[in-house]
Amino acid sequence: MEPTKYVDRVVPEISLRDFDSRIDQITAELIEAAENVGFFSIVDHGISREAVDNIFDQSARFFNQSDEIKARVPFSPQHNAGWEKNAQVRPSTGAVDRKESYQMQFGDGMNGRWLDDETLPGFRQEALTFMHKTQEVSEKLMKCFARGLNFDDDYFIKAHDVGRQESQTVCRLLHYFETPRTPNPTGEVFHRAGAHADWDFLTLLFQKSGQSGLEICPGREVSTSFGYGDSWTKVEPNAEKNAIVCNIGDLLMSWSDDRFKSTFHRVKAPCEPDDFYGERYSIAYFNQPCRDAKIQGPLKKYPLITGEEFNRNAMSRNYKALQEKLSKEISVN
């Protein structure tokens, strides 16, 4: 694997301050970022620094439980919810991401997938409170994207209604394991999360200050081998501004008839002296449409599909890589 090439790129920063009176300007800035970069950060979004710090504390509480306890709420591919560890294989690397995660939803998908209050007091309520706050921010962005595509203002909001049992939106707590400091004479790059594009509508990512690793590679149509050999840009957490990093997913790309760009990103494992080698926590909020939402862009470039069909197809591709890896390991052994 060849060494990584890095270039400086500007990740647009968009303020949601005075949203109602500035919606036209905010919409223009979001549409430009979606068309040309696929990544942007938002500030002045209304979620306090204290609320973000609190959910990270809750995340640590969960992951500090023993594997035996966390295994009480195992990940379910059918419901796209629950805890998994060293289970996600990226087609870009063929290797398992070095992390564990816990995926939470609003509705029936979480039946039996919350740890009880005796084991983790208050966790469920704190998590749901944060998820609703993040959904409120997401809906502001959805309103802007709807305007940009000449849909009704509430078009995407209705399609992502987390109050319905058909909701598929996910909040994913992520814990990347500490990386040993070992010599790396070749400069070869390894990953905590291999290069990939998200398959949701829009991802809102919360990062802890000082815990770097996120890198982006805009331009799917010019990307080779899932980003390898291309030029990457580091996206550092901006705790001072309490910024949320956002990226367009494959769903919004197809829903916009490929006008908005879903781009590759990864979490690089530390390999240089100044990299962050410790445990890394992040939180990804994946806006995913209701199961019965009908998805088709204004130009009808792609056939109409439901939210359930889109998610099922995406998850099938995701788990195909894991099945192929397991098959290879079985044949070798």
Side-chain angles (χ1 to χ4, degrees):
M1 186 187 304
E2 61 185 279
T4 294
K5 306 171 192 171
Y6 285 104
V7 298
D8 290 330
R9 294 182 177 94
V10 175
V11 176
E13 181 182 284
I14 300 171
S15 170
L16 302 189
R17 174 181 50 83
D18 301 329
F19 179 81
D20 291 336
S21 62
R22 296 180 56 249
I23 188 170
D24 290 340
Q25 178 185 344
I26 293 169
T27 296
E29 292 176 3
L30 281 172
I31 299 307
E32 182 176 359
E35 289 179 335
N36 297 302
V37 184
F39 262 83
F40 54 91
S41 69
I42 55 174
V43 296
D44 306 319
H45 43 69
I47 302 178
S48 69
R49 180 76 256 173
E50 291 75 19
V52 175
D53 289 342
N54 178 61
I55 194 62
F56 274 116
D57 289 342
Q58 298 298 330
S59 177
R61 287 180 67 208
F62 178 87
F63 289 121
N64 284 338
Q65 303 296 312
S66 69
D67 285 3
E68 181 181 11
I69 289 177
K70 288 178 286 191
R72 296 178 192 169
V73 288
F75 181 77
S76 165
Q78 177 184 356
H79 300 94
N80 197 26
W83 174 72
E84 62 181 359
K85 180 180 181 181
N86 294 334
Q88 191 164 15
V89 177
R90 301 294 182 185
S92 60
T93 62
V96 172
D97 286 352
R98 302 167 187 179
K99 68 177 189 296
E100 60 180 331
S101 67
Y102 178 54
Q103 298 202 168
M104 305 173 293
Q105 293 193 19
F106 289 90
D108 289 344
M110 288 302 289
N111 287 347
R113 290 177 188 84
W114 292 107
L115 288 177
D116 59 74
D117 244 20
E118 290 183 4
T119 303
L120 210 55
F123 174 85
R124 176 177 180 174
Q125 186 56 53
E126 293 288 347
L128 286 171
T129 296
F130 176 80
M131 289 163 64
H132 280 289
K133 289 179 183 294
T134 309
Q135 178 66 18
E136 290 176 8
V137 176
S138 296
E139 291 182 0
K140 291 180 179 179
L141 303 178
M142 289 177 190
K143 186 174 182 179
C144 294
F145 284 126
R147 288 190 172 200
L149 294 170
N150 293 319
F151 288 130
D152 292 339
D153 280 2
D154 62 355
Y155 179 81
F156 290 131
I157 295 173
K158 287 181 176 178
H160 295 82
D161 185 351
V162 298
R164 301 182 62 220
Q165 291 303 319
E166 289 79 11
S167 170
Q168 299 184 106
T169 288
V170 165
C171 183
R172 189 181 197 191
L173 307 182
L174 290 149
H175 174 216
Y176 299 90
F177 305 121
E178 184 175 2
T179 302
R181 288 181 178 267
T182 56
N184 183 28
T186 65
E188 185 176 359
V189 177
F190 299 92
H191 305 284
R192 286 175 159 175
H196 63 284
D198 292 343
W199 44 267
D200 62 333
F201 180 88
L202 180 72
T203 303
L204 279 66
L205 181 70
F206 299 82
Q207 302 184 88
K208 282 186 73 84
S209 178
Q211 298 185 0
S212 58
L214 177 64
E215 299 178 348
I216 64 171
C217 181
R220 288 182 57 137
E221 69 280 357
V222 299
S223 190
T224 59
S225 301
F226 295 90
Y228 285 117
D230 292 313
S231 299
W232 291 82
T233 298
K234 298 180 180 181
V235 182
E236 299 292 339
N238 189 337
E240 181 180 350
K241 290 190 173 182
N242 194 24
I244 305 172
V245 176
C246 305
N247 65 275
I248 305 300
D250 288 348
L251 176 60
L252 180 50
M253 185 169 174
S254 64
W255 217 332
S256 67
D257 301 307
D258 293 338
R259 180 178 165 190
F260 303 153
K261 308 303 180 187
S262 172
T263 58
F264 286 109
H265 52 286
R266 67 187 184 189
V267 178
K268 188 194 77 171
C271 58
E272 300 168 1
D274 293 335
D275 287 344
F276 177 72
Y277 284 78
E279 295 176 285
R280 182 181 188 272
Y281 289 87
S282 64
I283 299 168
Y285 189 85
F286 298 110
N287 290 280
Q288 297 176 170
C290 293
R291 290 190 290 271
D292 56 356
K294 293 180 172 57
I295 298 163
Q296 191 171 48
L299 303 180
K300 297 180 171 54
K301 181 176 181 179
Y302 299 104
L304 186 144
I305 192 171
T306 67
E308 184 174 25
E309 290 169 330
F310 191 95
N311 275 20
R312 183 171 61 244
N313 294 343
M315 290 192 69
S316 295
R317 292 192 300 270
N318 198 28
Y319 281 90
K320 181 181 179 181
L322 176 58
Q323 293 166 356
E324 290 175 348
K325 176 178 172 58
L326 293 174
S327 297
K328 289 179 183 178
E329 291 176 348
I330 292 172
S331 63
V332 169
N333 295 330

